[in-house]
Amino acid sequence: MSTGAELRRKFLNYFALRDHLILPSASLVPKDDPSLLLTVAGMVPFKPYFQGKVTPPHPRLATAQKCLRTQDLEEVGKTARHNTFFEMLGNFSIGDYFKKETIGWSWEFLTKELGLPPEDLWITVYRDDQEAAEIWHDLMGVPRERIIPLGDDTNFWEAGPVGPCGPCSEILFDLGPAYSCGSPDCGVECECGRYLEVWNLVFTEFNREEDGKLSKLPRRNIDTGMGLERIASVLQGVPNNFETDLIFPLIEEAAIASGISYGADDKSDVALKVIADHARAVSFLIADGVHPSNEGRGYVLRRILRRAVRYGRLLGIRDPFLKRLTDKTIALYQDPYRELKERSGHIQRIVSLEEERFSETLEQGLQILQEQLEKVEVSGEKNLPGGVAFRLYDTFGFPLELTQEILAERGMNVDLDGFRVSMEKQRERARAARVETVPSDSFKVCTAYSGDKTKFTGYGNLSARSQITAIIADGKRKSESDPGGAGTGYIGPDTFLL
Ligand code: SER
């Protein structure tokens, strides 16, 4: 059996021997990239290389990259494969090798290094990509019936609305009939999970421009990604990512905290998986400098963390428990990811504080939600009034999506328009109050307001540089501060002050 750590090492060694420079994982917070909130793939840190804006340290690179995706957050814990945080193993060519080499290496790595039976591997290619199909068939010997051409939905890869992208070819592992939905049409496109996508090879030739059009990149590149947890599940012969050695110790920790064993029943298993997944995400996000807040990536962190706390309650855990899970994450991952160890005290503080804050209001919020739900149900409605969801958000710290998820469990929704109206009214009130109540005496560190992009840096620093976007003194906006005077500044984009 290969452990996750062995697989990570094996992959990087394999590509190091083929003249790839092995780089450490970049942060989960993309650098100088306003188009992405978080690092969603191994290629994200290399976008400027692909675009020809920056020269790479070497034309061949390989990484195990920390990634975080939240588009299917509600599915996490309920399915075998959805994770928020995961590691992506990837090799990259910046204008160097192209299809033939990368297809050859991925085939060799899977079938020779990892020993997967070639007959269990299926291939998809972009519908027009005859060249890739020929390489798979002529050079790798994959039978034509196991090479499936597909369209833009699955076989054209893009990291976000703009940036480097291209047609791709996926390698899928057939887990066997036991995993099939049984439909006569069950095949590589089926969602049932029998055919597990293990590796995606992107032929990055294009750039998606702001106007949505595709332009040619200066050179042809390669971007590949293999989910470490997925390939570990195949090699370790377990039915889902959670039972690999990369996550299972966290499930065991959550089982100890709750007194409920994994496997006791489906519902508690979901909760244990959610807690395990989210503990990893929370630890890595905080280690990379994300702080819980109500916007941007801070909101992503808050949402994940609070979802974990609620699932803890569902398991009957009353006392704070998340810290022991994040401590366990640090212990599990501190070897490859030293930032976890280096920032362990910070992670512990933020997790404890945020869990404590939410725990204070969770019970009461759940009770209010329950009462309101009963009222709505009696009236035969399917929508919770937006004002109620907003009160839960604003006063009880329930991320909207958490309320939506609780409602969905009962086949109900939130009246989103009503929620938005309440949010807007609250913002207007806050804007007015801010101007009226600004203190006239000076202070050294404050949370600064700059419209929409505000970052509180006061947990780690007592001073910082930022652009001043407004000066308010005696409750009024001023165009300049009094010389030597100490106005109160609402500034941005990166917080700070006076
Ligand atoms: N960027 C591609 C993906 O995330 C391949 O790494 O699937």
Side-chain angles (χ1 to χ4, degrees), residues 461-494:
N461 304 290
L462 290 175
S463 65
R465 283 189 176 278
S466 183
Q467 184 192 348
I468 295 182
T469 56
I471 298 168
I472 298 167
D474 299 328
K476 297 210 174 63
R477 269 177 180 266
K478 291 270 171 85
S479 57
E480 56 185 37
S481 71
D482 300 334
T488 305
Y490 285 110
I491 49 186
D494 261 325

Side-chain angles (χ1 to χ4, degrees), residues 119-125 142-151 154-155 169-175 180-181 183-198 230:
E119 60 278 13
D120 289 341
L121 296 174
W122 286 67
I123 307 297
T124 66
V125 292
V142 180
R144 286 203 194 278
E145 60 275 16
R146 289 215 316 272
I147 304 172
I148 315 291
L150 295 174
T154 54
N155 282 60
S169 177
E170 297 175 334
I171 307 171
L172 299 98
F173 181 74
D174 179 4
L175 291 164
S180 171
C181 56
S183 156
D185 298 331
C186 183
V188 291
E189 281 187 277
C190 189
E191 296 286 321
C192 70
R194 169 173 175 172
Y195 296 92
L196 178 65
E197 181 204 325
V198 288
R230 283 186 180 202

